[in-house]
Amino acid sequence: MMKHWNGTIIGPNNTPFEGRIYALQIECGEDYPNVPPSLKFRTRVSLPCVRDNGGVDPRALPVTANWTRKNTIEDCLNAIYIMMSHPSSRRLQQPPDGDMFE
């Protein structure tokens, strides 16, 4: 079973994320797809669903909070992209481009 994945999100146009490339680590546990994957940003980003260590709080991201077996890793990445595009995210101060979590 393929458990460890790398994901990439390109920041949406006309947002503070525009032109930036965000790297994520994605881990699918033994119970995937019955339970959501674990998501962790490698690239620093300021979003309501991202913890201080880069981990994505599954309760703060709608797709993982309401996970069903039909959901996919692609749905997770799209949900983060949509959150980046949301007007409330435009006010968040972003770390310098290229800054990484340890």
Side-chain angles (χ1 to χ4, degrees):
M1 179 175 173
M2 296 178 69
K3 296 181 182 183
H4 306 281
W5 297 82
N6 293 313
T8 302
I9 298 174
I10 298 173
N13 290 335
N14 302 314
T15 70
F17 310 96
E18 181 176 14
R20 295 183 181 203
I21 299 173
Y22 296 91
L24 295 92
Q25 293 174 295
I26 304 163
E27 292 195 28
C28 299
E30 294 293 329
D31 293 328
Y32 179 84
N34 294 319
V35 297
S38 171
L39 307 167
K40 185 174 182 180
F41 274 87
R42 295 183 59 230
T43 310
R44 283 197 181 275
V45 64
S46 179
L47 283 171
C49 66
V50 179
R51 297 179 181 136
D52 290 342
N53 67 354
V56 174
D57 181 351
R59 298 168 306 216
L61 188 64
V63 70
T64 52
N66 302 304
W67 188 261
T68 69
R69 184 175 173 79
K70 293 185 229 174
N71 291 112
T72 64
I73 292 171
E74 182 181 4
D75 294 329
C76 295
L77 297 175
N78 284 331
I80 293 169
Y81 184 89
I82 289 167
M83 187 175 280
M84 288 175 161
S85 300
H86 193 272
S88 64
S89 296
R90 294 174 191 263
R91 294 185 286 270
L92 299 173
Q93 182 67 33
Q94 294 303 312
D97 194 16
D99 208 10
M100 304 295 280
F101 286 103
E102 305 224 0

